[in-house]
Amino acid sequence: MSTKKTSLKDIAQKAGVSTALVSYVLNGKEKESRVGHEIAQKIKQIAAELNYQPNHLAKSLRSGKTHTIGLIIADISNPFFANIARVVEDEAKHNGYTVIIGSSDENAGKSRDLLNVLINRQVDGFIIVSAENSEEQIHYLKEKNIPFVLLDRYFPEIPTDFVSTDHYKASYEACSHLIRNGYQRIGMIAYDSQMFHMQERIRGYKDSLRDNNRHFQKSWLKEVRINTIENGVKAAIDEMLAADRPVDAILFATYSLAINGLKYINELRLNVPADLAIVSFGQAEVFELYYCPITYLKQPIVLLGQTAVELLVKKLKNNLNEPAQILMKAELVERASSTAKPVVPT
Amino acid sequence: MSTKKTSLKDIAQKAGVSTALVSYVLNGKEKESRVGHEIAQKIKQIAAELNYQPNHLAKSLRSGKTHTIGLIIADISNPFFANIARVVEDEAKHNGYTVIIGSSDENAGKSRDLLNVLINRQVDGFIIVSAENSEEQIHYLKEKNIPFVLLDRYFPEIPTDFVSTDHYKASYEACSHLIRNGYQRIGMIAYDSQMFHMQERIRGYKDSLRDNNRHFQKSWLKEVRINTIENGVKAAIDEMLAADRPVDAILFATYSLAINGLKYINELRLNVPADLAIVSFGQAEVFELYYCPITYLKQPIVLLGQTAVELLVKKLKNNLNEPAQILMKAELVERASSTAKPVVPT
């Protein structure tokens, strides 16, 4: 970086031409003008020598291109989103874009503020992990023709481009896996949220029970509020275990729910999987530290992030000709926390 | 949000006045003008009814205030930074500021690009967790009088405002704790980095050994490269254990180093702390899942983030009258992974 800002006037003086001509050349319009090649080269060379930095802000106002992508994620302190943000950044850089990130804290109001701030900062487009109740913002972006791609979460009733894990299938597969391995009463701890991805995870669990001829019990499904997660998870587990016929397996709908659950299961000195089998939506790194490796649903973080950038860049270049609605498969990584239950003779 | 953008002209037409007058009033200049109070009120009311959104970009160019803070962190996928980002956001919002985040991936070039992008987007000031070799950028910000506060990492040779953990003291305390608890040969696994905070952690470890009359052995300190962390940590542990008199305790200089180390220690079926005591710089949540709770240095994430925002906001309001260089204490949370070693008769 230079220590003082070079102006067009500085360049003009050194080159012995008018400021208007310098502006013309440096904005890539020399072909339209009658400027000779030689003088154009001279101006460019002087600009380089003086380390001229164009005023991107003013330039953006004219060209409407900033090569900046706004990434709005639901919660930056959640490792899933933090990791996906890293992927988006890498892939964007690869495509010549810089990423500016904002975190909505799962709060629609904050998400709206961030969108406004970033629209005013002239980002070219958005990648958004939506917060609950933010449908209006999606409609707004559509009406304004602001390019965006939804990531990980989408609104089924709003036609948009998105790339997401197939939450329904992942959950369905996890529950079916537990049933196949001999678990009888499978509980689920989810968030108390109307977000579609959460509802899909619950639906997958219930449909798997039904398709495997298990009768879903209301007491098996616990929906915990995100802002009282620690006590919520404890209460949920207490209730599940206090039943006449307690659950023998729990499917955690998110990584944070699982962490809280595993801590409490440790406190209760329950043995995984003998007392309680565990499957979680996932984050590998942490689960590997647990004494009993945890079976988890590995979301395709890298592919999700890369594809979101790819779709957005295509849109920005007007190369995306049809709606892209991509569901990706989560991989069930089977480990010790859900191994086949020994068959006890009755 | 309204569905179509209201222009000054729209308001002018509805109010039956000139566009210039509307602009005058909405930019808060009605006192300077001779506009009557009544007509000013009318214009404001119509603007509100039409949900007029001022063009912040143009406005920022005039006023130089955007109420936006740029936060540049070293690596968004590191939970320490992701959590601190969350604190900065909360505290900034509390003060009426929105935060835009960029992650430098510990890369000075990327950090410089981000600074440029955000300066061009007219943020009011920066909070920065510096990447290695980014001193030049700090000099640049100082020369340009762009307000900033360094967070967690600083350059001792550049006078700046900063708020940081006292990395030296934390490391000193961790090593002294291991010595007090009877461990004889204490190793340290750190990053191969010239960053001051990393060097301070190493210096604290060495000084603690010296002050406790232990002779530091070169083979006890392993410096691992961040981009080959997994194999680097494995090799470091292998070498430390293959020595004639192997280490009986390891101090991990970062959370990521510890996670990799603990995974490998599990693979080796070593018993913590009987075979190897562990202390790590830290992140509580994950360590609680380990079979043997890990002693860790709890960095004051909330206080660090809040203080950084507080200092920056004071600077932005020209209320910071003297340099603020704040070192905060990390708390050593003592747990089972470093309990007192049973004294074996020799």
Side-chain angles (χ1 to χ4, degrees), chain B residues 139-152:
Chain B
H139 287 301
Y140 177 83
L141 291 174
K142 287 185 67 156
E143 280 155 11
K144 291 284 183 185
N145 277 320
I146 296 171
F148 70 95
V149 172
L150 299 187
L151 178 56
D152 191 52

Side-chain angles (χ1 to χ4, degrees), chain B residues 2 9 40 45 49 90 118 130 133 147 153 159 174 184 188 192 209 211 227 231 283 335 340 344:
Chain B
S2 77
K9 205 173 157 190
Q45 200 182 327
E49 279 165 11
D90 288 349
L118 294 178
S130 298
N133 301 319
R153 302 173 178 183
Q184 300 295 323
M188 181 174 198
D192 180 13
L209 287 177
D211 295 350
N227 36 11
N231 290 326
Q283 243 279 331
R335 306 204 295 176
V344 184

Side-chain angles (χ1 to χ4, degrees), chain B residues 21-262:
Chain B
L21 184 58
V22 172
S23 166
Y24 226 58
V25 169
L26 294 182
N27 283 306
K29 295 188 183 161
E30 74 270 26
K31 276 182 195 155
E32 302 163 39
S33 77
R34 306 259 165 93
V35 185
H37 178 71
E38 207 169 312
I39 189 75
Q41 280 308 103
K42 186 177 173 190
I43 288 169
K44 284 177 183 173
Q45 200 182 327
I46 290 170
E49 279 165 11
L50 296 178
N51 194 14
Y52 170 69
Q53 302 265 356
N55 182 339
H56 288 247
L57 195 56
K59 203 171 169 184
S60 301
L61 284 168
R62 286 194 305 273
S63 76
K65 296 283 177 199
T66 62
H67 286 273
T68 311
I69 292 172
L71 170 66
I72 296 184
I73 56 182
D75 178 6
I76 198 172
S77 67
N78 178 326
F80 173 70
F81 297 126
N83 281 305
I84 228 170
R86 174 73 185 257
V87 174
V88 167
E89 283 191 322
D90 288 349
E91 186 68 14
K93 188 167 174 62
H94 190 71
N95 282 278
Y97 287 83
T98 304
V99 177
I100 301 177
I101 305 166
S103 170
S104 68
D105 291 359
E106 303 279 7
N107 177 309
K110 212 170 157 192
S111 165
R112 192 181 52 231
D113 290 349
L114 277 168
L115 274 177
N116 275 327
V117 163
L118 294 178
I119 290 170
N120 287 328
R121 293 299 178 290
Q122 314 275 331
V123 300
D124 290 346
F126 287 96
I127 294 174
I128 302 170
V129 182
S130 298
E132 197 167 8
N133 301 319
S134 63
E135 289 90 334
E136 189 202 354
Q137 296 160 36
I138 303 305
H139 287 301
Y140 177 83
L141 291 174
K142 287 185 67 156
E143 280 155 11
K144 291 284 183 185
N145 277 320
I146 296 171
F148 70 95
V149 172
L150 299 187
L151 178 56
D152 191 52
R153 302 173 178 183
Y154 61 99
F155 302 98
E157 71 281 11
I158 313 178
T160 60
D161 298 313
F162 64 76
V163 50
S164 168
T165 305
D166 190 334
H167 301 286
Y168 170 83
K169 266 198 188 156
S171 197
Y172 187 99
E173 194 190 348
C175 184
S176 301
H177 156 79
L178 285 164
I179 292 171
R180 267 196 315 277
N181 277 358
Y183 297 94
Q184 300 295 323
R185 292 172 304 284
I186 296 156
M188 181 174 198
I189 299 184
Y191 279 130
D192 180 13
S193 161
Q194 287 311 306
M195 287 296 292
F196 183 65
H197 73 285
M198 191 54 62
Q199 291 303 315
E200 282 291 274
R201 291 179 189 188
I202 294 171
R203 188 170 69 90
Y205 156 74
K206 285 182 174 173
D207 281 4
S208 163
L209 287 177
R210 184 201 61 208
D211 295 350
N212 287 284
N213 303 311
R214 303 296 160 102
H215 184 64
F216 167 69
Q217 316 266 324
K218 259 196 167 173
S219 63
W220 290 355
L221 174 65
K222 301 293 180 190
E223 287 167 283
V224 168
R225 283 176 195 235
I226 195 163
N227 36 11
T228 54
I229 178 169
E230 192 177 338
N231 290 326
V233 168
K234 283 183 181 182
I237 292 176
D238 282 342
E239 286 167 31
M240 282 170 154
L241 296 176
D244 281 348
R245 307 194 65 202
V247 301
D248 56 1
I250 295 179
L251 170 58
F252 288 100
T254 77
Y255 152 85
S256 298
L257 290 165
I259 298 285
N260 279 277
L262 290 171

Side-chain angles (χ1 to χ4, degrees), chain A residues 57 68 75 86 100-101 121, chain B residues 68 75 86 100 121-122:
Chain A
L57 196 56
T68 311
D75 179 6
R86 175 73 185 257
I100 300 178
I101 305 167
R121 292 300 177 291
Chain B
T68 311
D75 178 6
R86 174 73 185 257
I100 301 177
R121 293 299 178 290
Q122 314 275 331

Side-chain angles (χ1 to χ4, degrees), chain A residues 241-298:
Chain A
L241 296 177
D244 280 348
R245 307 194 66 203
V247 301
D248 57 1
I250 296 179
L251 171 58
F252 288 100
T254 77
Y255 152 84
S256 298
L257 290 165
I259 298 284
N260 279 277
L262 290 170
K263 277 192 217 170
Y264 189 54
I265 288 165
N266 275 357
E267 270 182 48
L268 295 174
R269 300 186 176 278
L270 292 175
N271 201 340
V272 176
D275 299 327
L276 204 53
I278 301 290
V279 177
S280 176
F281 271 78
Q283 243 279 330
E285 184 184 72
V286 179
F287 293 146
E288 288 195 22
L289 291 187
Y290 202 61
Y291 68 90
C292 169
I294 301 294
T295 298
Y296 65 97
L297 289 158
K298 187 177 177 183

